[in-house]
Structure formats: structure tokens, C-alpha cells
Amino acid sequence: MLLHIVARGKIGRSPEAELTDRYLKRINWKTRVTELPDTGGNLPARDGAKTIVLDERGKAMRSADFAKLLGRWRDEGVRETQFLIGAADGHSEELTREADLLFSFGPATWPHMLCRAMLAEQLFRAVAILSGHPYHREGRTGG
């Protein structure tokens, strides 16, 4: 399955871009990043793709549950999942209504450039969980 991040705004050369790239390169599934202007521009075609819209009003999920969702969609034959990150003003109501999932990193508002890095890390973590890689350490306590 293709994991496709569709983000408003240009990230350029920045610490957030480096961190995003670092995680995306570690994912053994196909990945793509599409940047759109802050306003306007056309979203990529969503023919058969699942869409997850990042929104502070969305559902906060444990990493293991997020991984299960992606694994289920992969197993059902979904070819692409698009992760939509908005600009400062968020997404249109129409887009949020049409999404397969509104996904949240919590009730706080996060800078959209930082959301890319956070999403890339969660995608890497989800793929690691699904492959049995030891990166994810849920339930373990430090000592």
C-alpha cells in the first residue's frame, strides 16, 4: 500500500524536513509526499484511496490501533492511503466530511510542518509494529 502524505505549504530545507525524510526512508512500504500551496491547488485523485485528514477534532489513536487500521486496509487491498495535512486554517468542511478518518495528535494545535514529522514517525512506527520490529515499546516501563 502507498502511504501518501498530502500537505499544504512548502517545507523546504528545515529541521522538520530532515526529520520527516529520516522516518520516511526507514519505511519499507511505498511512500510519497505531495506539497500543495497554502490555498488552492488540486488534491491528488482519490480513486479508491482511503483518506485520513489530520484535524485537532479528530480521533486520537494509540499507535498499535493506528497500525491495526493500516494493516486491515492493506489486507483488504487498499492500494493507497492519503494523509491530508492542512495549512494554518485547516481543511474545508467538505473535505473533513468525506474523509475515511479524522485523525488527531491530541487537542492541541500543532504547527503543520511539525505534523509532517510526527506523522512520518507514526507511519514508521505502524509499519514496524505490523512487521514485528522492536522499535515500538508499548507497555514497557523504564527502570
Side-chain angles (χ1 to χ4, degrees):
M1 176 168 58
L2 171 65
L3 304 174
H4 188 175
I5 297 173
V6 181
R8 295 278 177 189
K10 303 287 184 191
I11 200 168
R13 295 178 68 174
S14 65
E16 295 90 351
E18 291 174 23
L19 190 55
T20 299
D21 289 343
R22 182 182 309 157
Y23 283 113
L24 291 179
K25 287 177 182 175
R26 296 171 72 184
I27 297 173
N28 62 7
W29 294 13
K30 292 184 286 184
T31 63
R32 177 182 303 149
V33 176
T34 299
E35 290 186 327
L36 298 173
D38 285 344
T39 59
N42 294 319
L43 290 170
R46 289 180 270 167
D47 302 326
K50 294 287 189 178
T51 55
I52 295 179
V53 172
L54 275 72
D55 188 287
E56 64 191 23
R57 299 167 296 171
K59 180 178 182 178
M61 299 175 76
R62 292 174 47 248
S63 297
D65 294 332
F66 184 61
K68 285 178 191 173
L69 174 67
L70 294 180
R72 187 177 82 234
W73 286 350
R74 176 202 59 196
D75 295 346
E76 290 172 354
V78 173
R79 298 176 59 121
E80 178 179 353
T81 300
Q82 293 180 0
F83 301 87
L84 308 179
I85 300 174
D89 292 329
H91 302 282
S92 71
E93 286 301 317
E94 178 184 2
L95 188 61
T96 59
R97 272 194 315 272
E98 294 174 355
D100 293 290
L101 174 67
L102 290 182
F103 181 62
S104 174
F105 287 127
T109 301
W110 295 96
H112 60 280
M113 297 300 175
L114 185 55
C115 281
R116 288 192 205 190
M118 294 166 60
L119 176 59
E121 191 281 336
Q122 282 299 293
L123 292 173
F124 170 69
R125 184 178 296 273
V127 172
I129 290 169
L130 292 171
S131 68
H133 188 280
Y135 177 76
H136 182 65
R137 294 178 177 90
E138 182 174 13
R140 298 183 190 170
T141 57

